[in-house]
Amino acid sequence: MAAVVNYFEVGSPDPDAARSFYGSLFDWTFGEPSPAGYRMVNGDKGGLWDTTSLGGNAWAIFYVQVDDVKAAIAQAESLGASVAVPFVDNGAIEFAHLVDPQGNRLGVWRPKQSV
């Protein structure tokens, strides 16, 4: 599989304000929040994450689907990236957030089942 950008995420310490902004700007719909404060956007096209419990950071990132998340993390680090959110396996997917050498946040992920 080629590395494909196929998901996005907005992180906000004020998810209601983010929902209002993006919903009004792009007519996006938002699902109900998960116990972790995560809402799906337009079905499964993206996500809105309440970052209050993560230090209140804000971000807008794209995700690249990879075959091996841990290998992508290691390669990114060897190229000068840092890890913002370490490897997570939530049962359905594996993912991590990275910060490239210029300070841009990006995500790498892999579904553990067909998406």
Side-chain angles (χ1 to χ4, degrees):
M1 167 191 318
V4 176
V5 175
N6 60 3
Y7 194 77
F8 72 90
E9 185 173 84
V10 175
S12 174
D14 189 350
D16 290 335
R19 282 178 48 218
S20 178
F21 176 79
Y22 288 104
S24 296
L25 181 62
F26 298 126
D27 199 28
W28 287 352
T29 59
F30 299 84
E32 291 300 314
S34 72
Y38 198 87
R39 293 175 181 262
M40 298 304 294
V41 178
N42 287 352
D44 64 353
K45 304 302 181 208
L48 172 62
W49 200 345
D50 179 347
T51 62
T52 305
S53 66
L54 301 172
N57 293 325
W59 64 71
I61 66 172
F62 62 91
Y63 278 82
V64 178
Q65 186 173 339
V66 297
D67 290 328
D68 185 330
V69 174
K70 289 181 178 178
I73 294 167
Q75 182 176 7
E77 287 181 311
S78 77
L79 295 169
S82 60
V83 177
V85 174
F87 177 84
V88 174
D89 180 341
N90 73 9
I93 66 170
E94 298 172 346
F95 71 94
H97 288 190
L98 306 171
V99 179
D100 75 15
Q102 290 75 41
N104 299 298
R105 194 173 188 125
L106 66 136
V108 290
W109 82 289
R110 177 185 81 86
K112 294 178 74 177
Q113 56 212 17
S114 296
V115 173

